């Protein structure tokens, strides 16, 4: 072996190997890029890569097996919206599907419809209750009138006319009035 060959072989790598031997780190990788086939990989949210024969991704900052994710996805969220049969390809579709069983658009439309029907319902309730208020008012006026009539009798809450000899029983009449108002009030909607 000539000096020349020795010089050539005794390169940086060997110096490092010797250094490691001295430091007691024998066997440690001494060269960069040589025999180091596995590239270090950095992945960010949404990346898909293969490792150990499986597909992986990062979802919500957590490394997950994509096969598992895919299964979950297809089981939970169909490709087509059951309501409009449209393809659920919008980002928020899976969320809306899980929450409402239909796509984003369908959910929005239904929400709007509900709001409108809710308003109509509120309106109907207001009208209904106003009508009852009006009826109560009329009932009070009618009862007042009846009670002030001399022995004409008075109408009970059941709609029967009661007459008493010797004039109206004011106490009985007041009770009937109260009961009548209570009954009409109970017809109001919450
Ligand atoms: Zn839809």
């Amino acid at each position: 072996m000539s000096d020349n060959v020795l010089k050539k072989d005794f390169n940086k790598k060997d110096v490092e190997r010797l250094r490691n031997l001295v430091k007691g780190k024998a066997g440690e990788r001494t060269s960069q890029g040589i025999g180091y086939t596995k590239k270090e990989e950095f992945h960010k949210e949404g990346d898909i890569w293969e490792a150990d024969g499986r597909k992986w991704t990062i979802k919500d900052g957590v490394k997950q097996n994509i096969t598992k994710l895919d299964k979950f996805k297809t089981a939970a969220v169909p490709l087509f919206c059951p309501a409009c049969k449209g393809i659920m390809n919008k980002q928020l579709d899976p969320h809306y599907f899980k929450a409402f069983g239909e796509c984003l658009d369908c959910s929005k439309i239904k929400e709007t419809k509900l709001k409108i029907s809710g308003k109509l319902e509120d309106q109907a309730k207001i009208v209904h209750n106003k009508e009852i208020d009006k009826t109560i008012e009329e009932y009070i006026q009618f009862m007042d009138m009846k009670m002030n009539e001399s022995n004409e009798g008075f109408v009970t809450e059941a709609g029967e006319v009661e007459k008493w000899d010797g004039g109206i029983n004011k106490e009985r009449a007041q009770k009937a009035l109260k009961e009548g108002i209570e009954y009409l009030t109970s017809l109001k909607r919450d």
Side-chain angles (χ1 to χ4, degrees), residues 81-86 88 102-107:
C81 166
C84 70
K85 313 294 176 208
M88 295 205 286
E102 56 197 14
C103 74
L104 171 71
D105 290 342
C106 284
S107 302

Side-chain angles (χ1 to χ4, degrees), residues 3 39 104 116 149 152 163 176 189:
D3 281 2
K39 211 169 62 188
L104 171 71
I116 293 167
E149 281 173 4
E152 280 286 310
K163 281 188 181 187
R189 289 182 204 154

